[in-house]
Amino acid sequence: MTRRTSPSDVDDETYHFLLPYLALSPEHAPQRKYPLR
């Protein structure tokens, strides 16, 4: 089964560039329910 793409999807290169910024969160913040990607 292949996943349909969305206009908001990013490619792997862009995702790996943004990941350090997306992963920043305060220690007291609640944990994510869903993965970033």
Side-chain angles (χ1 to χ4, degrees), residues 26-37:
E27 289 182 17
H28 62 278
Q31 297 299 309
R32 297 183 197 280
K33 263 188 185 177
Y34 306 102
L36 288 172
R37 195 159 194 189

Side-chain angles (χ1 to χ4, degrees), residues 18-25 32 36:
L18 293 173
L19 187 59
Y21 302 103
L22 295 172
L24 292 175
S25 64
R32 297 183 197 280
L36 288 172

Side-chain angles (χ1 to χ4, degrees), residues 4-30:
R4 291 179 21 194
T5 60
S6 171
S8 63
D9 287 352
V10 296
D11 60 13
D12 288 339
E13 184 179 347
T14 305
Y15 176 73
H16 288 292
F17 173 78
L18 293 173
L19 187 59
Y21 302 103
L22 295 172
L24 292 175
S25 64
E27 289 182 17
H28 62 278

